[in-house]
Amino acid sequence: MDRDTPAGANNLDAYWMPFSANQAFKADPRFLASARGMHYTTADGRQVLDAIAGLWCVNAGHCREPIVAAIRRQAGELDYATSFQVAHPIAFEMAARLAALAPGDLNRVFFSNSGSEAVDTALKIALAYHRLRGEGSRTRLIGRERGYHGVGFGGISVGGIVNNRKMFGTLLAGVDHLPATHSLEHNAFSRGQPAWGAHLADDLERIVALHDASTIAAVIVEPMAGSAGVLVPPKGYLERLRAICDRHGILLIFDEVITGFGRLGAAFAAERFGVLPDLMTTAKGITSGTVPMGATFVRQHLYDTFMAGAPTGGIELFHGYTYSGHPLACAAGLATLDLYHDEGLFERAAMLEPHWQDAVHGLKGRPHVIDIRNLGLTAGIEMAARPGAPGARGAEVFRRCFDGGVLVRFTGDTIALSPSLIIEKPQIDRIVEMLAGAIQATA
Ligand code: PXG
């Protein structure tokens, strides 16, 4: 047994780890044992600065006392109750709080347990909405290349990450993809939103011309693509998508699983960009990562259409999860929203953005760095692939940083950063210093 292996993990065989190189991990495991604030403690007692907020989710920082207390309290009071035909008050409280936080009239909220489920929920609502309005021919869904919408069949169908799709057959029928917005040629080293690329939204007109608007239900995009390596929308791009959707009666879905809850210095990306989608999917930061929860926000007229469309006394939407609106998730969510508000964390992210931007762009000129992108408290640092070994540089930089005490994320040869919104400036500087050294040392 490895000297770092903690009690309880002396047999690594049974656990099939998600999105991981299982064999490599099990040959050389890395264990995180506890966490507080901006740091993890490893099983062998080392402090690791968390530069990715868990996995883009622990926006309020780790093990925050008010959230921990709320979960404890709720677990002792009402552990579980179904939300099918009965209900518990805290789910209504959580939904009302979310509705008040959301932009425009995105004021109806459907709960699930993850981003993947929030996405499936949104796609299903979009399809059913058109059908209820007598436009049942609108069945086509439009995603985007390099988009990530979780791992359900709906999400991988509209998603555009090849490795997440190619093993799993034909997926949903009737899906088209817009082109990705990232361009090294035009936009490398842009600070914030790049200037070039709004016209890429016009590809939606091509798809409409090909299939006719009467066959298209919805377009789903991440306002800022996270998983693919922080791909920031070009100036004017989202506005143009919105206009084209309006012109053709197509619903626009923003997948805000990463961008929601302060990541971009506003409650939601929709607010930051001033573009209102028809549906919005969220998860992750909704409970600061503490208890699984997803939420799909819909504009009121969509909800009203469902209410008007059902027979009196009948179920309006045949969809839901055993754990929709789980009491523990709602308790965690309410405490999280309080913390975001009381500590002004969304404003804090906005306030830190200039320092963050300057710091990460300081990596320009390091060996193999071919692009640096940033928005809010996110950054993508892209390195050229090593010839014949794509992803190797990313993996090596990740490993060097981890061994040096900083947890980053890599996707291919891009390093992604997304720290908790409580981060301090010296911690930002430490992350960048660690990366500089790791990139320098990785030939
Ligand atoms: N939509 C978006 C935009 C996401 O980023 C999901 C949906 C799915 O959420 P769940 O809760 O089902 O995982 C996500 C998830 C990464 C990484 O390394 C990102 C995610 C998940 C795993 C890894 O960037 N985002």
Side-chain angles (χ1 to χ4, degrees), residues 351-392:
M351 184 265 293
L352 285 169
E353 185 169 345
H355 182 86
W356 172 258
Q357 175 171 276
D358 287 345
V360 294
H361 279 273
L363 293 166
K364 188 173 178 181
R366 296 280 167 185
H368 311 297
V369 171
I370 55 173
D371 192 15
I372 297 170
R373 307 177 281 275
N374 72 286
L375 198 72
L377 283 187
T378 71
I381 296 115
E382 183 167 346
M383 297 173 289
R386 197 174 280 159

Short mmCIF file of all heavy atoms in Angstrom, two decimals, residues 351-392:
data_model
loop_
_atom_site.label_atom_id
_atom_site.label_comp_id
_atom_site.label_asym_id
_atom_site.label_seq_id
_atom_site.Cartn_x
_atom_site.Cartn_y
_atom_site.Cartn_z
N MET A 351 -14.90 42.71 -8.40
CA MET A 351 -13.84 43.61 -7.91
C MET A 351 -12.45 42.99 -8.16
O MET A 351 -11.50 43.69 -8.48
CB MET A 351 -14.11 43.84 -6.41
CG MET A 351 -13.20 44.80 -5.71
SD MET A 351 -11.84 43.93 -4.89
CE MET A 351 -12.69 43.01 -3.61
N LEU A 352 -12.37 41.67 -8.02
CA LEU A 352 -11.07 41.00 -8.19
C LEU A 352 -10.69 40.80 -9.66
O LEU A 352 -9.53 40.50 -9.97
CB LEU A 352 -11.09 39.63 -7.50
CG LEU A 352 -11.02 39.63 -5.98
CD1 LEU A 352 -11.31 38.23 -5.43
CD2 LEU A 352 -9.65 40.11 -5.49
N GLU A 353 -11.65 40.95 -10.55
CA GLU A 353 -11.41 40.57 -11.95
C GLU A 353 -10.20 41.28 -12.58
O GLU A 353 -9.40 40.62 -13.25
CB GLU A 353 -12.68 40.78 -12.80
CG GLU A 353 -12.51 40.29 -14.22
CD GLU A 353 -13.82 40.24 -15.01
OE1 GLU A 353 -14.90 40.30 -14.40
OE2 GLU A 353 -13.75 40.14 -16.25
N PRO A 354 -10.03 42.60 -12.38
CA PRO A 354 -8.86 43.23 -13.00
C PRO A 354 -7.53 42.66 -12.51
O PRO A 354 -6.62 42.44 -13.30
CB PRO A 354 -9.01 44.71 -12.60
CG PRO A 354 -10.46 44.89 -12.30
CD PRO A 354 -10.93 43.57 -11.73
N HIS A 355 -7.43 42.41 -11.20
CA HIS A 355 -6.19 41.85 -10.65
C HIS A 355 -5.97 40.43 -11.22
O HIS A 355 -4.86 40.07 -11.62
CB HIS A 355 -6.26 41.80 -9.12
CG HIS A 355 -5.01 41.27 -8.49
ND1 HIS A 355 -3.94 42.07 -8.19
CD2 HIS A 355 -4.64 40.01 -8.12
CE1 HIS A 355 -2.97 41.34 -7.67
NE2 HIS A 355 -3.37 40.07 -7.61
N TRP A 356 -7.05 39.69 -11.23
CA TRP A 356 -7.01 38.31 -11.76
C TRP A 356 -6.55 38.33 -13.22
O TRP A 356 -5.66 37.57 -13.63
CB TRP A 356 -8.42 37.72 -11.64
CG TRP A 356 -8.64 36.40 -12.28
CD1 TRP A 356 -9.27 36.18 -13.48
CD2 TRP A 356 -8.27 35.12 -11.78
NE1 TRP A 356 -9.31 34.83 -13.75
CE2 TRP A 356 -8.70 34.16 -12.71
CE3 TRP A 356 -7.61 34.69 -10.62
CZ2 TRP A 356 -8.48 32.79 -12.54
CZ3 TRP A 356 -7.40 33.33 -10.44
CH2 TRP A 356 -7.84 32.39 -11.40
N GLN A 357 -7.15 39.22 -14.00
CA GLN A 357 -6.83 39.31 -15.43
C GLN A 357 -5.34 39.64 -15.64
O GLN A 357 -4.66 38.96 -16.42
CB GLN A 357 -7.72 40.38 -16.06
CG GLN A 357 -7.42 40.67 -17.51
CD GLN A 357 -8.47 41.57 -18.14
OE1 GLN A 357 -9.52 41.11 -18.60
NE2 GLN A 357 -8.21 42.87 -18.16
N ASP A 358 -4.87 40.66 -14.91
CA ASP A 358 -3.46 41.04 -15.05
C ASP A 358 -2.56 39.87 -14.65
O ASP A 358 -1.55 39.60 -15.30
CB ASP A 358 -3.13 42.25 -14.17
CG ASP A 358 -3.72 43.53 -14.75
OD1 ASP A 358 -4.13 43.51 -15.94
OD2 ASP A 358 -3.79 44.53 -14.01
N ALA A 359 -2.93 39.20 -13.56
CA ALA A 359 -2.08 38.11 -13.05
C ALA A 359 -1.99 36.98 -14.07
O ALA A 359 -0.88 36.54 -14.42
CB ALA A 359 -2.65 37.60 -11.73
N VAL A 360 -3.12 36.51 -14.58
CA VAL A 360 -3.04 35.36 -15.49
C VAL A 360 -2.40 35.74 -16.82
O VAL A 360 -1.65 34.95 -17.41
CB VAL A 360 -4.42 34.67 -15.72
CG1 VAL A 360 -4.92 34.05 -14.43
CG2 VAL A 360 -5.44 35.60 -16.33
N HIS A 361 -2.62 36.96 -17.28
CA HIS A 361 -1.99 37.36 -18.54
C HIS A 361 -0.48 37.57 -18.38
O HIS A 361 0.24 37.64 -19.38
CB HIS A 361 -2.68 38.59 -19.13
CG HIS A 361 -3.94 38.24 -19.86
ND1 HIS A 361 -3.97 37.89 -21.19
CD2 HIS A 361 -5.22 38.10 -19.42
CE1 HIS A 361 -5.21 37.59 -21.55
NE2 HIS A 361 -5.99 37.70 -20.49
N GLY A 362 -0.03 37.63 -17.12
CA GLY A 362 1.41 37.66 -16.86
C GLY A 362 2.12 36.38 -17.31
O GLY A 362 3.34 36.34 -17.38
N LEU A 363 1.35 35.34 -17.61
CA LEU A 363 1.96 34.08 -18.07
C LEU A 363 2.29 34.11 -19.55
O LEU A 363 2.90 33.17 -20.09
CB LEU A 363 1.02 32.90 -17.76
CG LEU A 363 0.83 32.59 -16.27
CD1 LEU A 363 -0.35 31.66 -16.06
CD2 LEU A 363 2.11 32.00 -15.68
N LYS A 364 1.90 35.18 -20.22
CA LYS A 364 2.23 35.30 -21.65
C LYS A 364 3.76 35.31 -21.81
O LYS A 364 4.46 35.94 -21.02
CB LYS A 364 1.64 36.60 -22.21
CG LYS A 364 1.77 36.73 -23.71
CD LYS A 364 1.03 37.96 -24.24
CE LYS A 364 1.22 38.05 -25.75
NZ LYS A 364 0.56 39.23 -26.32
N GLY A 365 4.22 34.57 -22.80
CA GLY A 365 5.67 34.53 -23.02
C GLY A 365 6.33 33.31 -22.40
O GLY A 365 7.48 33.00 -22.71
N ARG A 366 5.62 32.62 -21.52
CA ARG A 366 6.17 31.36 -20.98
C ARG A 366 6.21 30.32 -22.10
O ARG A 366 5.41 30.38 -23.04
CB ARG A 366 5.29 30.83 -19.84
CG ARG A 366 5.25 31.75 -18.64
CD ARG A 366 6.47 31.59 -17.78
NE ARG A 366 6.58 32.68 -16.80
CZ ARG A 366 7.61 32.85 -15.98
NH1 ARG A 366 8.63 32.01 -16.02
NH2 ARG A 366 7.63 33.85 -15.13
N PRO A 367 7.10 29.32 -22.00
CA PRO A 367 7.24 28.36 -23.09
C PRO A 367 5.92 27.69 -23.46
O PRO A 367 5.19 27.25 -22.57
CB PRO A 367 8.23 27.33 -22.53
CG PRO A 367 8.82 27.92 -21.31
CD PRO A 367 8.02 29.07 -20.89
N HIS A 368 5.65 27.61 -24.74
CA HIS A 368 4.52 26.87 -25.31
C HIS A 368 3.16 27.50 -25.04
O HIS A 368 2.15 26.94 -25.46
CB HIS A 368 4.50 25.41 -24.82
CG HIS A 368 5.83 24.71 -24.95
ND1 HIS A 368 6.42 24.50 -26.17
CD2 HIS A 368 6.67 24.22 -24.01
CE1 HIS A 368 7.59 23.89 -25.97
NE2 HIS A 368 7.76 23.72 -24.68
N VAL A 369 3.10 28.62 -24.32
CA VAL A 369 1.79 29.23 -24.04
C VAL A 369 1.32 29.94 -25.30
O VAL A 369 1.96 30.90 -25.76
CB VAL A 369 1.86 30.20 -22.84
CG1 VAL A 369 0.55 30.98 -22.71
CG2 VAL A 369 2.15 29.43 -21.56
N ILE A 370 0.20 29.47 -25.87
CA ILE A 370 -0.26 30.03 -27.15
C ILE A 370 -1.53 30.86 -26.99
O ILE A 370 -1.95 31.54 -27.91
CB ILE A 370 -0.50 28.92 -28.20
CG1 ILE A 370 -1.46 27.84 -27.67
CG2 ILE A 370 0.83 28.29 -28.63
CD1 ILE A 370 -1.86 26.82 -28.73
N ASP A 371 -2.16 30.80 -25.82
CA ASP A 371 -3.33 31.65 -25.60
C ASP A 371 -3.62 31.74 -24.11
O ASP A 371 -3.37 30.78 -23.37
CB ASP A 371 -4.57 31.08 -26.32
CG ASP A 371 -5.74 32.07 -26.37
OD1 ASP A 371 -5.52 33.27 -26.10
OD2 ASP A 371 -6.87 31.63 -26.67
N ILE A 372 -4.13 32.90 -23.72
CA ILE A 372 -4.63 33.08 -22.35
C ILE A 372 -5.98 33.77 -22.47
O ILE A 372 -6.11 34.77 -23.17
CB ILE A 372 -3.65 33.92 -21.50
CG1 ILE A 372 -2.32 33.18 -21.36
CG2 ILE A 372 -4.26 34.21 -20.12
CD1 ILE A 372 -1.21 34.02 -20.74
N ARG A 373 -6.99 33.18 -21.83
CA ARG A 373 -8.35 33.72 -21.89
C ARG A 373 -8.86 33.93 -20.47
O ARG A 373 -8.50 33.15 -19.58
CB ARG A 373 -9.28 32.74 -22.63
CG ARG A 373 -8.76 32.32 -24.00
CD ARG A 373 -9.66 31.30 -24.66
NE ARG A 373 -9.51 29.95 -24.17
CZ ARG A 373 -8.59 29.07 -24.62
NH1 ARG A 373 -7.75 29.43 -25.56
NH2 ARG A 373 -8.53 27.84 -24.12
N ASN A 374 -9.70 34.92 -20.27
CA ASN A 374 -10.23 35.14 -18.93
C ASN A 374 -11.57 35.85 -18.98
O ASN A 374 -11.85 36.59 -19.93
CB ASN A 374 -9.27 36.00 -18.11
CG ASN A 374 -9.26 37.45 -18.60
OD1 ASN A 374 -8.70 37.73 -19.66
ND2 ASN A 374 -9.90 38.32 -17.87
N LEU A 375 -12.37 35.62 -17.98
CA LEU A 375 -13.60 36.38 -17.75
C LEU A 375 -14.06 36.08 -16.33
O LEU A 375 -14.02 34.92 -15.90
CB LEU A 375 -14.71 35.99 -18.75
CG LEU A 375 -15.83 37.02 -18.86
CD1 LEU A 375 -15.37 38.28 -19.58
CD2 LEU A 375 -17.05 36.44 -19.57
N GLY A 376 -14.52 37.12 -15.62
CA GLY A 376 -14.88 36.91 -14.23
C GLY A 376 -13.71 36.27 -13.50
O GLY A 376 -12.56 36.63 -13.74
N LEU A 377 -14.00 35.31 -12.64
CA LEU A 377 -12.91 34.57 -11.98
C LEU A 377 -12.72 33.24 -12.68
O LEU A 377 -12.84 32.18 -12.07
CB LEU A 377 -13.19 34.40 -10.49
CG LEU A 377 -12.95 35.64 -9.63
CD1 LEU A 377 -13.09 35.30 -8.14
CD2 LEU A 377 -11.59 36.28 -9.88
N THR A 378 -12.44 33.30 -13.97
CA THR A 378 -12.06 32.10 -14.72
C THR A 378 -10.88 32.46 -15.60
O THR A 378 -10.70 33.61 -15.97
CB THR A 378 -13.18 31.58 -15.65
OG1 THR A 378 -13.32 32.50 -16.74
CG2 THR A 378 -14.49 31.43 -14.93
N ALA A 379 -10.12 31.44 -15.92
CA ALA A 379 -9.06 31.63 -16.91
C ALA A 379 -8.74 30.31 -17.58
O ALA A 379 -8.87 29.24 -16.97
CB ALA A 379 -7.80 32.22 -16.25
N GLY A 380 -8.34 30.40 -18.85
CA GLY A 380 -7.83 29.26 -19.59
C GLY A 380 -6.45 29.61 -20.10
O GLY A 380 -6.28 30.66 -20.73
N ILE A 381 -5.48 28.78 -19.79
CA ILE A 381 -4.12 29.00 -20.29
C ILE A 381 -3.80 27.84 -21.21
O ILE A 381 -3.69 26.70 -20.76
CB ILE A 381 -3.11 29.08 -19.13
CG1 ILE A 381 -3.43 30.30 -18.25
CG2 ILE A 381 -1.67 29.21 -19.65
CD1 ILE A 381 -3.85 29.97 -16.88
N GLU A 382 -3.73 28.14 -22.50
CA GLU A 382 -3.58 27.07 -23.48
C GLU A 382 -2.12 26.94 -23.91
O GLU A 382 -1.47 27.93 -24.26
CB GLU A 382 -4.47 27.35 -24.71
CG GLU A 382 -4.43 26.24 -25.73
CD GLU A 382 -5.53 26.35 -26.78
OE1 GLU A 382 -6.49 27.13 -26.58
OE2 GLU A 382 -5.42 25.66 -27.82
N MET A 383 -1.64 25.71 -23.88
CA MET A 383 -0.27 25.43 -24.34
C MET A 383 -0.33 24.65 -25.64
O MET A 383 -1.29 23.90 -25.89
CB MET A 383 0.47 24.61 -23.27
CG MET A 383 0.65 25.36 -21.97
SD MET A 383 1.34 24.33 -20.66
CE MET A 383 -0.02 23.24 -20.30
N ALA A 384 0.68 24.81 -26.45
CA ALA A 384 0.77 24.00 -27.67
C ALA A 384 0.93 22.53 -27.26
O ALA A 384 1.61 22.24 -26.28
CB ALA A 384 1.96 24.44 -28.49
N ALA A 385 0.29 21.64 -28.01
CA ALA A 385 0.43 20.21 -27.71
C ALA A 385 1.85 19.76 -28.02
O ALA A 385 2.46 20.24 -28.98
CB ALA A 385 -0.57 19.41 -28.51
N ARG A 386 2.35 18.86 -27.21
CA ARG A 386 3.64 18.25 -27.52
C ARG A 386 3.44 17.38 -28.76
O ARG A 386 2.44 16.64 -28.83
CB ARG A 386 4.08 17.40 -26.33
CG ARG A 386 5.53 17.03 -26.32
CD ARG A 386 5.87 16.31 -25.02
NE ARG A 386 6.06 17.21 -23.90
CZ ARG A 386 5.96 16.85 -22.62
NH1 ARG A 386 5.62 15.62 -22.30
NH2 ARG A 386 6.17 17.72 -21.66
N PRO A 387 4.36 17.44 -29.74
CA PRO A 387 4.14 16.68 -30.97
C PRO A 387 3.89 15.20 -30.68
O PRO A 387 4.65 14.58 -29.93
CB PRO A 387 5.46 16.87 -31.74
CG PRO A 387 6.03 18.14 -31.20
CD PRO A 387 5.59 18.23 -29.77
N GLY A 388 2.80 14.68 -31.18
CA GLY A 388 2.48 13.27 -30.99
C GLY A 388 1.91 12.92 -29.63
O GLY A 388 1.58 11.76 -29.38
N ALA A 389 1.79 13.90 -28.73
CA ALA A 389 1.30 13.59 -27.38
C ALA A 389 0.36 14.68 -26.86
O ALA A 389 0.67 15.38 -25.90
CB ALA A 389 2.47 13.40 -26.42
N PRO A 390 -0.80 14.83 -27.53
CA PRO A 390 -1.73 15.87 -27.06
C PRO A 390 -2.17 15.58 -25.63
O PRO A 390 -2.40 14.42 -25.27
CB PRO A 390 -2.91 15.76 -28.04
CG PRO A 390 -2.76 14.44 -28.73
CD PRO A 390 -1.31 14.08 -28.68
N GLY A 391 -2.25 16.60 -24.82
CA GLY A 391 -2.68 16.46 -23.43
C GLY A 391 -1.54 16.20 -22.46
O GLY A 391 -1.71 16.35 -21.25
N ALA A 392 -0.37 15.82 -22.98
CA ALA A 392 0.74 15.45 -22.07
C ALA A 392 1.23 16.66 -21.29
O ALA A 392 1.49 16.58 -20.10
CB ALA A 392 1.88 14.82 -22.86
#
